[in-house]
């Protein structure tokens, strides 16, 4: 998708056309990957406000980085790598993570059965709280895996080997099971 679009945006295209191409690609990237990037941003924060701020930083970083995309990886991997780097910068610039606010964990579920909705909400809250208690190296891997990224994609985003991704993912799963039991 982006590979061919960006290749068309070479030196032969006017500045206005390149800007329009960049804006179109940016809009499409956020439309297709925005919800996943927002969820990834929440792995680096504890409050909805911080998550939203980080998401804006991620979106701006993606917009700035679009002209540099060379097609060496998938476009989705490229976006997640940018998001991961912004997340790390966000963590480095903030004070240590505080406890999770219950209101920030409430997720809307349109299910009509209130008991089932309460049960699902409690499970989500527990899982999110457990993920947030994981060491950051495990939190990154589990969050990306929950977004459906493959081991090679996670390895590329985090700058790890696939074997290391597998090890960290297994350790993260064990830690989550232990916390949730």
């Amino acid at each position: 998708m982006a590979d061919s679009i960006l290749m068309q945006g070479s030196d032969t295209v006017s500045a206005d056309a390149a800007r329009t191409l960049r804006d179109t690609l940016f809009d499409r990237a956020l439309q297709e990957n925005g919800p996943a990037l927002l969820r990834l941003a929440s792995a680096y924060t504890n409050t909805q406000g911080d998550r939203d701020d980080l998401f804006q930083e991620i979106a701006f970083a993606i917009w700035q980085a679009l002209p540099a995309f060379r097609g060496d990886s998938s476009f989705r991997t490229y976006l997640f790598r940018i998001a991961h780097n912004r997340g790390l910068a966000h963590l480095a610039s903030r004070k240590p993570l505080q406890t999770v606010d219950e209101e920030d964990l409430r997720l809307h579920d349109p299910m009509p059965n209130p008991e089932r909705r309460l049960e699902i909400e409690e499970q989500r809250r527990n899982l999110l709280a457990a993920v947030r208690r994981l060491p950051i190296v495990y939190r990154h891997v589990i969050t990306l895996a929950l977004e459906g990224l493959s081991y090679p994609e996670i390895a590329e985003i985090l700058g790890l080997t696939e074997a290391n991704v597998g090890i960290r993912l297994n350790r993260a799963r064990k830690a989550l099971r232990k916390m949730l039991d």
Side-chain angles (χ1 to χ4, degrees):
M1 163 190 97
D3 308 17
S4 61
I5 292 174
L6 284 176
M7 297 307 163
Q8 295 170 2
S10 63
D11 297 334
T12 61
V13 179
S14 73
D16 288 337
R19 199 172 309 112
T20 301
L21 186 63
R22 177 193 219 181
D23 292 345
T24 301
L25 185 57
F26 175 74
D27 291 342
R28 186 194 240 167
L30 286 187
Q31 183 179 23
E32 293 174 3
N33 298 287
L37 293 171
L38 188 62
R39 287 187 298 270
L40 181 65
S42 71
Y44 295 90
T45 62
N46 273 340
T47 67
Q48 185 175 356
D50 284 347
R51 181 205 62 192
D52 294 343
D53 290 346
L54 177 56
F55 181 72
Q56 284 187 355
E57 290 177 31
I58 290 169
F60 183 65
I62 288 171
W63 186 81
Q64 286 180 313
L66 283 177
F69 181 69
R70 296 185 312 260
D72 296 339
S73 64
S74 76
F75 188 60
R76 186 166 193 233
T77 301
Y78 185 70
L79 298 177
F80 274 87
R81 180 66 182 191
I82 292 167
H84 169 68
N85 289 340
R86 288 304 320 141
L88 290 178
H90 177 81
L91 286 176
S93 69
R94 301 282 189 227
K95 59 185 175 185
L97 294 177
Q98 303 298 317
T99 58
V100 178
D101 185 2
E102 292 283 327
E103 288 186 32
D104 291 332
L105 295 176
R106 268 190 225 137
L107 301 173
H108 175 68
D109 187 359
M111 292 180 59
N113 182 343
E115 287 179 19
R116 180 69 181 136
R117 185 176 64 213
L118 185 61
E119 182 182 321
I120 290 172
E121 188 175 315
E122 183 69 22
Q123 289 173 347
R124 286 181 182 166
R125 185 177 25 250
N126 289 340
L127 178 61
L128 183 56
V131 167
R132 286 184 171 157
R133 286 193 313 260
L134 286 172
I136 196 77
V137 294
Y138 297 152
R139 192 181 324 159
H140 295 153
V141 174
I142 198 79
T143 302
L144 293 171
L146 288 171
E147 287 302 331
L149 292 162
S150 67
Y151 279 33
E153 290 172 320
I154 295 170
E156 188 173 337
I157 290 166
L158 299 178
L160 304 171
T161 64
E162 288 181 45
N164 197 294
V165 168
I167 291 167
R168 288 185 185 191
L169 195 52
N170 284 333
R171 290 179 181 167
R173 286 179 182 142
K174 284 180 185 178
L176 284 174
R177 272 189 219 107
K178 191 174 183 179
M179 283 186 245
L180 295 173
D181 285 342

